[in-house]
Amino acid sequence: MEKSLFGDNCLTLINLANLDYLLKNKEQDVTALLSSSELQLFAGYSYAKRRLEWLGGRIAAKDALARLLGDASSAACRDLSVLPDSHGRPVVSTSLLLQWRPRLSLSHCKNYAVALACREEQCGVDIEFCSERLLTVRERFTTDSEMALFAEAMPELSRLAILWTVKEAVKKCCFADQPTLFGQTRVCAVREGEGGQWWVDCCLDHEDRARIRVQVVRFDRYFLAWVTGGTHA
């Protein structure tokens, strides 16, 4: 389990292979972290892959939330329920007395599940495996002008993976209640840092936000992007 803290944001990344081992050998220890409402949902999943992905997202969420709230005890984790709203976005409910309501975003891809918890109005996170599948759907989510924002030496597939994860993260943060895919988000600037990280500015078709910045990191063949409700002029 990888953990990161960024100011008022906490991000947790879980290797699903490790969770699968725990689930097969110590299921009671793992499910003891779930609330009664979450246990009911978990019991309804019969497909092993879906069970693992769903559980990975909840365990990652509870870890990120517990660190954000400053209480990582099992009792606190059980009291935090992560349930979907009418748009499928994860919502946190708890009987704990809080001065503010934590926000949450989840994602999973192949071997990993990730959760981002924050104090801001909304947040979004996405993880994507760098596969050739992106080449077949390129026209659905990017333009030549966006691709040209990256360094010329960067492989096409890496550019596509970054653009996909960025726009997915922005959609979860700003457009989760709308049926659009990526049409309301346009990448307008890219800045590359050291060690496989980028900062990507997006121009939005949104009444409250004109521009938003997304952070992206690469590890192995995965790209991970996250964004909070902050805006940038």
Side-chain angles (χ1 to χ4, degrees):
M1 184 183 296
E2 298 292 334
K3 307 175 183 180
S4 298
L5 179 66
F6 307 94
D8 289 336
N9 309 318
C10 290
L11 188 146
T12 297
L13 180 71
I14 286 183
N15 188 318
L16 293 178
N18 296 336
L19 182 61
D20 189 35
Y21 173 83
L22 290 175
L23 191 59
K24 291 176 179 177
N25 294 276
K26 298 181 179 180
E27 180 172 342
Q28 287 187 333
D29 292 346
V30 177
T31 56
L33 298 174
L34 301 178
S35 68
S36 58
S37 298
E38 290 170 328
L39 282 170
Q40 291 179 5
L41 281 178
F42 183 58
Y45 293 111
S46 57
Y47 184 41
K49 181 176 182 293
R50 180 61 183 131
R51 279 168 59 88
L52 185 62
E53 291 172 344
W54 184 91
L55 184 61
R58 265 56 192 180
I59 298 301
K62 286 173 180 284
D63 179 82
L65 286 166
R67 291 186 296 115
L68 188 67
L69 298 172
D71 186 353
S73 66
S74 296
C77 287
R78 283 193 299 272
D79 196 77
L80 294 165
S81 285
V82 179
L83 304 172
D85 66 9
S86 59
H87 303 289
R89 181 161 49 191
V91 176
V92 182
S93 62
T94 178
S95 62
L96 298 174
L97 297 177
L98 303 177
Q99 295 181 343
W100 46 271
R101 180 184 176 187
R103 302 290 182 168
L104 187 70
S105 183
L106 308 176
S107 182
H108 56 75
C109 181
K110 288 187 177 290
N111 298 329
Y112 292 95
V114 63
L116 173 66
C118 76
R119 296 173 182 259
E120 298 197 44
E121 181 182 354
Q122 292 297 349
C123 62
V125 67
D126 190 66
I127 185 170
E128 180 68 25
F129 182 73
C130 194
S131 73
E132 293 187 357
R133 177 190 67 85
L134 292 168
L135 295 171
T136 67
V137 295
R138 169 179 171 166
E139 291 75 14
R140 294 173 56 193
F141 69 92
T142 191
T143 63
D144 290 342
S145 60
E146 289 176 323
M147 292 287 284
L149 294 172
F150 296 88
E152 291 186 7
M154 178 178 286
E156 178 184 17
L157 203 53
S158 295
R159 302 186 201 191
L160 291 174
I162 291 175
L163 290 169
W164 179 278
T165 54
V166 163
K167 293 189 177 185
E168 277 282 6
V170 171
K171 183 180 186 301
K172 292 178 181 179
C173 182
C174 302
F175 303 109
D177 59 345
Q178 301 180 32
T180 181
L181 184 59
F182 298 135
Q184 293 172 283
T185 304
R186 177 174 58 85
V187 173
C188 50
V190 176
R191 180 167 66 88
E192 184 174 359
E194 298 180 355
Q197 57 182 326
W198 295 262
W199 288 266
V200 180
D201 286 354
C202 297
C203 297
L204 307 181
D205 179 13
H206 194 289
E207 60 182 8
D208 296 325
R209 301 183 179 93
R211 192 161 174 163
I212 196 166
R213 179 164 295 166
V214 187
Q215 188 166 349
V216 184
V217 296
R218 178 173 186 169
F219 64 98
D220 298 330
R221 292 184 64 188
Y222 291 85
F223 286 87
L224 175 62
W226 67 93
V227 61
T228 63
T231 57
H232 303 269

